[in-house]
Amino acid sequence: MPIDFERQLGAVQRSVSHTEHDGKPARAVTLSRTYPTSVEDLWDAISNPERLPRWFAEVTGELEPGGRFQITGNASGQITACVPPQHLATTWEIGEETSRVEVRLEQDGDINARLTLTHIAPVTGFWKTYGPGAVGVGWELGLMGLALHVETPDAPRPDEAEFAADPDARAFMRHSAEAWGDADIAGGEDAETARASAKRTANFYTGGD
């Protein structure tokens, strides 16, 4: 299925704000977008282990409050809050770094549902190198996959190797990284620092220098 990457870029609202994580400086990276479906269907898409691999990845473990999960090839964590069909919160553990992810769903007009995802990340060396795009671009790709799934639930996920080699997909990731640089500046980061981090993030995702 052809992907309208420009429309996908424009569908996301992005923000970066200062906060704390375990008493230390952190940043809240927030994405929000609307989907043409009900809150109940959107909740099922993000929580049903049979649907998750169709747009995101295979998720195993105890998918219930207090349970631990593992995303194949990615993070693990613990479900810290679950209020269907409105609120989900987890830890997000990769290597020695732990951050937090919160997802909230709400009705948006008569026929749409809005998903708002906030990733609260500590200000570590990784953050100082890549800035908000490190998590922002990845989540933006995920939310795009969710949009494609909502539009065509039975369609398979795009092949990862083909997607990574697609010039339009690579341009999408670069533009997403630049947009997160803009959000970082709007959130109070020095412009030169934010632009440098965004460039490193774009190179990370596209294999550039």
Side-chain angles (χ1 to χ4, degrees):
M1 176 174 55
I3 300 175
D4 185 342
F5 288 105
E6 185 174 350
R7 180 171 71 86
Q8 296 295 334
L9 277 169
V12 176
Q13 296 177 340
R14 308 168 188 84
S15 68
V16 181
S17 59
H18 291 229
T19 185
E20 289 189 352
H21 176 70
D22 293 337
K24 298 179 181 180
R27 299 291 185 270
V29 178
T30 301
L31 309 85
S32 183
R33 69 173 290 170
T34 295
Y35 294 87
T37 189
S38 66
V39 169
E40 289 76 15
D41 178 62
L42 197 58
W43 177 268
D44 188 66
I46 69 169
S47 62
N48 186 334
E50 294 183 0
R51 293 181 70 178
L52 283 166
R54 300 181 206 168
W55 65 270
F56 183 54
E58 182 181 11
V59 181
T60 58
E62 301 175 81
L63 304 185
E64 58 186 31
R68 291 196 60 80
F69 64 88
Q70 174 67 56
I71 301 170
T72 300
N74 205 309
S76 61
Q78 183 176 26
I79 298 173
T80 57
C82 183
V83 184
Q86 300 169 326
H87 179 222
L88 176 68
T90 75
T91 62
W92 190 263
E93 303 166 23
I94 297 181
E96 297 182 355
E97 290 199 0
T98 298
S99 50
R100 298 201 312 271
V101 173
E102 290 200 24
V103 179
R104 296 185 182 275
L105 306 183
E106 60 185 338
Q107 195 69 31
D108 189 355
D110 294 332
I111 59 173
N112 295 323
R114 176 168 290 276
L115 182 151
T116 300
L117 184 151
T118 299
H119 193 141
I120 300 174
V123 180
T124 62
F126 185 79
W127 175 276
K128 292 176 181 178
T129 299
Y130 295 105
V135 297
V137 175
W139 283 120
E140 197 159 335
L141 287 166
L143 296 192
M144 178 173 66
L146 178 57
L148 299 176
H149 171 68
V150 167
E151 292 174 9
T152 313
D154 294 328
R157 282 179 62 201
D159 180 82
E160 291 187 11
E162 292 180 4
F163 184 87
D166 184 339
D168 290 334
R170 293 163 67 85
F172 171 89
M173 290 183 277
R174 287 195 298 271
H175 291 314
S176 174
E178 292 167 0
W180 281 108
D182 293 338
D184 202 12
I185 294 168
E189 184 57 86
D190 170 74
E192 183 176 355
T193 299
R195 296 291 182 217
S197 295
K199 184 175 182 179
R200 287 190 288 268
T201 296
N203 289 339
F204 173 84
Y205 276 97
T206 63
D209 295 332

